[in-house]
Amino acid sequence: MHEWALAESIIRAAEEYASRNGLQRISLLRVYLGELQAIDHEILGFALDNLRREAGVAIDRIEIVEEEAVFRCNRCGYEWRLSDTDLPEEAREAIHFVPEAVHAYMACPRCGSRDYVVVSGRGVRIEVDLEG
Amino acid sequence: MSWALTVIDPRWAMARERLRGVGRVFFVESSKGGVGKTVFSALLALVLAEKGVRVGLFDADFTNPGLHTVLGVEPVLEAIGEDKGVLPVEAGGVLFMSIAFYTGGRPLGLRGYEASSALVELLAVTRWGGIDALVVDTPPGIGDEHMDLHWLRPDTRVIAVSTPSRLAVESLIRLIEYLGSQGIRVAAVAENMSDKPSLRPLAEDRGIEYIGPLPYDPGLEQALGSPAGLRSTKPYRVLRRLVDRGLDTLGWWR
């Protein structure tokens, strides 16, 4: 389960942040999951719940927020959503591991350019709130 | 009301931790393309594996990966195992990971920040499992991947590969000077596709270990795709002999 590795990353990053800033507790850890990476919300939540118990910092609450994947072409400026496209299963699986691989499978629907930005919903990022 | 909201990319902490778990890390670098970094990286990993060192090999050339071709590993997603992360693929006794498994060898163009992002993503989720050494093949140039890698693992041993061509040598000196200015020492210079130790003075004058000369072998092309074939090439045999004779950079495991 690749989700476990990501959950470990999240806890590790929270611990590192806490120790760097001399904190004993984090009131809210908000985890943003990008649609592009298609992380399994439930497995990640389960892994986070397990790992937080052994974490080197007290985390009062973990909240998971899903983000829609949006792309913008660097050539023609066109904006589109992942849901507008029809990626084959193989591509979705590869992108699940390395979202940047999307450039190997998808081009701008308007001009065909592979030079585009993932505006939102790429992968995992977290927000730490000390007094939420 | 929140008074301290901080956004963090969690992958960096994990990538650093996983790299810390590796005994020794080698970055094979050269600013100039075409000097044989990829083949050298593979040969080095194969020599170390033959000596009983548990070794990993990572292709950090995200837009132009080649190690799977050198090792003869098919770049398909099915090759990758999953267990609380992704597991490298074994080839010739070496544990191997590459972006090619995820692109299926398709062309991939990335902006610098995306190459950086793909690099940290793969390093954060790949479980090398207690290896003694990791050899990282890097793209030509001095760019995002190199800067990220050096930041993630500051005590890395850099092996700068060069041919004796004046063009490559100019590049080599620039690389040594650049890294030096950043507090990073080049551990060794490997002279590739050469019959004479022409780069020995350049390396030794700077207190850098010299590896070579590794001869050009017309049979190498035939050996690509087969670890056993690579182990019978001239540069492999020379490299193994040099390791046997006790290079500082490559003989720490004795």
Side-chain angles (χ1 to χ4, degrees), chain B residues 75-178:
Chain B
V76 292
L77 201 51
E78 294 76 55
I80 299 293
E82 261 191 274
D83 178 22
K84 294 193 172 178
V86 298
L87 304 175
V89 175
E90 195 270 338
V94 170
L95 295 174
F96 170 58
M97 182 53 72
S98 165
I99 183 73
F101 291 117
Y102 306 95
T103 56
R106 288 173 183 78
L108 179 69
L110 296 176
R111 296 245 170 193
Y113 70 90
E114 290 177 306
S116 174
S117 176
L119 172 82
V120 75
E121 187 82 41
L122 258 191
L123 288 176
V125 298
T126 303
R127 294 182 61 204
W128 296 99
I131 50 175
D132 306 310
L134 179 66
V135 178
V136 181
D137 180 26
T138 68
I142 304 173
D144 293 64
E145 298 88 339
H146 309 86
M147 292 178 193
D148 289 338
L149 284 165
H150 283 294
W151 184 73
L152 284 168
R153 180 76 190 233
D155 72 341
T156 280
R157 269 72 177 177
V158 174
I159 302 181
V161 179
S162 183
T163 67
S165 154
R166 217 166 74 202
L167 262 178
V169 174
E170 258 178 45
S171 232
L172 171 68
I173 294 171
R174 259 200 305 271
L175 177 66
I176 294 169
E177 284 177 1
Y178 171 77

Side-chain angles (χ1 to χ4, degrees), chain A residues 22-84:
Chain A
L23 305 168
Q24 261 78 57
R25 81 183 314 107
I26 288 170
S27 57
L28 172 65
L29 180 65
R30 190 176 287 121
V31 180
Y32 290 92
L33 292 187
E35 184 191 6
L36 183 60
Q37 193 161 21
I39 295 300
D40 190 311
H41 189 136
E42 268 183 44
I43 298 173
L44 185 83
F46 178 75
L48 283 172
D49 257 351
N50 271 277
L51 293 169
R52 78 198 274 194
R53 289 188 207 127
E54 299 143 35
V57 57
I59 302 168
D60 296 341
R61 199 155 61 89
I62 297 180
E63 189 180 295
I64 298 180
V65 183
E66 287 177 11
E67 266 183 337
E68 189 179 33
V70 178
F71 308 89
R72 187 173 56 241
C73 181
N74 280 327
R75 287 287 150 263
C76 74
Y78 184 70
E79 254 191 50
W80 71 99
R81 296 161 198 284
L82 185 65
S83 49
D84 301 334

Side-chain angles (χ1 to χ4, degrees), chain A residues 1-14:
Chain A
M1 285 305 169
H2 162 243
E3 271 78 2
W4 276 87
L6 294 173
E8 245 182 298
S9 310
I10 291 166
I11 297 295
R12 214 55 86 235

